[in-house]
Structures are given as C-alpha cells and as structure tokens.
Amino acid sequence: EPGESATAPATTPDPAATPDPAASSDPSRRLFVSRVVGGAVAAAAVGTVGYGTYGVVRGPKVKRVTVPLAKLPRAAHGFRIAVVSDIHLGPMLGRGFAQKVVDTINGTRPDLIAVVGDLVDGSVEDLGPAAAPLRQLTARHGAYFVTGNHEYFSGAEQWVDEVRRLGLDPLENARRELPHFDLAGVNDVAGEDEGQGPDFTKALGDRDTSRAVVLLAHQPVQIHEAVDHGVDLQLSGHTHGGQMWPMNFVADLANPTLAGLERHGDTQLYVTRGAGAWGPPVRVGAPSDITVVELASKQA
C-alpha cells in the first residue's frame, strides 16, 4: 500500500556462484610453483655442467690398479705403467692442460708411460705447441704411443712423427722386447680407411710366447683379436667412461666395458676413463683419470 516500504525477501547465497579466493589464486600459485621448480632444475643443470667442466679443466686424478700376470717373472713384480688416454688437446684444452697431465704422470714415478691414443683434435701445425710438454715425460723404460681414432681425423702420420720428435716411441703395429716382458702396440681401427689399420700379426707374430705381453690398443673392442693372439693384458681408452649422459648409453653399447679391469678368457682388459674430454669439456659421473697399472708376478 502507498506509504509502506517494501522489503525484499531474504535469499540464501548460492555457493556455486560465490568466488572461492583460494580457487581464484590457483593459476598464479601454479605459475609461481612452476617457476620455482623450473628455476631449481635450471640451477641444478648449470651447477652440474659447471662442476663437470671444473672436473675436466683441473686435470685428471691418479687411479691405481694391480694386475697379476701369470707369465710375469718375479723380477718384474711391482712394475708400474702410467696409462693415459684421450687427452684431446684442442681449442678448449691446450698447452696448460698438457702440462698438468705431464706433471701428474711424472709425479707417479712410473717405470713406463703408455699414451693410448686420442692425444689431439687438430693438426700438428695448430696444436704442436700445445703438445710440447710431452717432451718432459720421464720413465726408466720410456714413453710409448699408439694412435686413436681422432689421430686419423687430425693427420696421423704427421702426429706420429711429432710424438717421436718429442721423445715418445710410436708403436705402429710393432713390439718392443723389454727386460722382463714384451710391450706391443697396434694402430686404431680408424686407420683402416687409410691403409694403416691394426695388424696384430705384425705386432705379435713370431714372439716368444713364454714371455708375458702387454698390448696398447686405443679401443676396447680390439680385445677380441688380442685374445686370439694370446695377449696377457690389453690397455685401452676411447670410452671416456661414458663422459656424460646420454653418451654413456651409446658408449656402453659400442664397447665391451666403459672403464676398469675385466677378463676375457686368458686376456685381461683395462680401460682408463681418459684424461680429457671430447666436444664440450664436461664430465658427469665419469671423472677423468691417469691410471698407474702395477703388474704383479704370481711367482712373487
């Protein structure tokens, strides 16, 4: 009626129509969380790569392993071979890195030094000065070299001449009779394209099989021919121990072992993880090493 005020009937709020503050903030909260997680993952990746790079640049650490050989005479018990592979001198790892490797090897006071391939990633013209510290390598029974696959990308013949000039003895499918055992070396399989592949018969034929023989061969896959030729111990590199994910899976498929000592019949195989790195100078879960292999006589 006129003069009376109308009062609207009370209504019950519809929960579905009421904004939920928590729900309205969900998109921004999810964005914040995703950014935090993404940042943490990125930081972890950067940290891992940084640590892996530092691990390469600081230089390899010394690893020691004892290998008993049935034919090794008592007089050679404790003979120490410093094994280094995959130094990969190049634009990233230059003369300073080579000096660290040489100083580390000499510091172990080895009886013999074995440089088992992949010394360089470039020509003698470009990397000769970087390799110059190799002249300082010192061991009572000398320093020896065999080619790796990367030498054949870099001018293998020129590098063989250069390491000889620096005082190393290149074993190109050749053998040296040391006082208490034979040391042999074969070219890398990559040399086959240039007619310079491995020749086990040339390196190991006509030898006195009563003497122990240690073979330098860059790639672990060469173990099968080593077994056929009665080798007692093969020293190899090439794998980098996998270097970093996902290369470790590829390397594991292509090689009988990634690193360490194992037996194939009567032949033992030791694979060093190498001193340097190929491609990005980064190692994750596969630290670089120089291995001192100490031979043990079972007659001692």
Side-chain angles (χ1 to χ4, degrees):
E1 292 183 6
E4 293 182 357
S5 60
T7 302
T11 59
T12 302
D14 181 0
T18 304
D20 181 355
S24 65
S25 66
D26 273 354
S28 60
R29 179 162 36 182
R30 286 196 297 269
L31 179 60
F32 172 75
V33 170
S34 68
R35 285 176 174 172
V36 169
V37 172
V41 170
V46 170
T48 300
V49 171
Y51 181 77
T53 301
Y54 169 73
V56 173
V57 174
R58 74 181 174 187
K61 292 188 175 181
V62 175
K63 181 178 180 181
R64 298 179 186 273
V65 61
T66 299
V67 181
L69 299 181
K71 297 178 184 178
L72 192 74
R74 182 192 300 266
H77 183 73
F79 190 99
R80 289 167 293 118
I81 303 174
V83 183
V84 62
S85 182
D86 303 280
I87 298 173
H88 286 289
L89 297 178
M92 301 296 293
L93 300 174
R95 184 174 182 136
F97 183 75
Q99 188 68 59
K100 289 180 184 178
V101 169
V102 168
D103 291 344
T104 301
I105 292 173
N106 286 343
T108 69
R109 300 177 64 83
D111 296 302
L112 183 149
I113 298 166
V115 181
V116 198
D118 280 9
L119 170 64
V120 292
D121 284 310
S123 67
V124 171
E125 181 180 2
D126 291 338
L127 296 176
L134 294 178
R135 184 186 296 279
Q136 303 165 23
L137 287 172
T138 303
R140 185 160 53 104
H141 291 279
Y144 298 84
F145 170 81
V146 291
T147 55
N149 53 309
H150 282 245
E151 269 71 61
Y152 293 97
F153 308 149
S154 307
E157 290 186 24
Q158 290 81 11
W159 274 111
V160 166
D161 290 341
E162 182 67 7
V163 298
R164 183 181 289 113
R165 190 182 70 81
L166 292 172
L168 283 75
D169 185 356
L171 295 177
E172 297 183 278
N173 299 321
R175 183 176 73 256
R176 303 288 182 262
E177 293 184 0
L178 302 182
H180 301 295
F181 65 92
D182 291 347
L183 180 73
V186 290
N187 294 349
D188 186 70
V189 294
E192 291 175 350
D193 292 338
E194 302 179 20
Q196 300 175 8
D199 189 333
F200 282 77
T201 300
K202 183 179 177 182
L204 298 165
D206 300 325
R207 70 180 185 86
D208 180 354
T209 56
S210 68
R211 288 167 56 90
V213 60
V214 176
L215 176 71
L216 310 183
H218 178 64
Q219 297 197 38
V221 294
Q222 295 172 280
I223 186 64
H224 306 296
E225 289 178 276
V227 171
D228 292 341
H229 286 80
V231 168
D232 297 280
L233 172 63
Q234 176 177 314
L235 301 174
S236 298
H238 183 64
T239 68
H240 299 199
Q243 188 164 324
M244 61 182 295
W245 184 92
M247 290 172 57
N248 55 311
F249 296 113
V250 177
D252 195 33
L253 290 173
N255 295 279
T257 185
L258 285 182
L261 181 68
E262 65 177 34
R263 179 176 288 276
H264 294 257
D266 292 330
T267 303
Q268 295 182 81
L269 168 66
Y270 180 77
V271 181
T272 172
R273 290 188 296 255
W278 178 72
V282 180
R283 282 176 174 263
V284 178
S288 59
D289 72 66
I290 290 167
T291 301
V292 175
V293 173
E294 183 170 317
L295 304 181
S297 171
K298 292 187 176 181
Q299 302 170 31

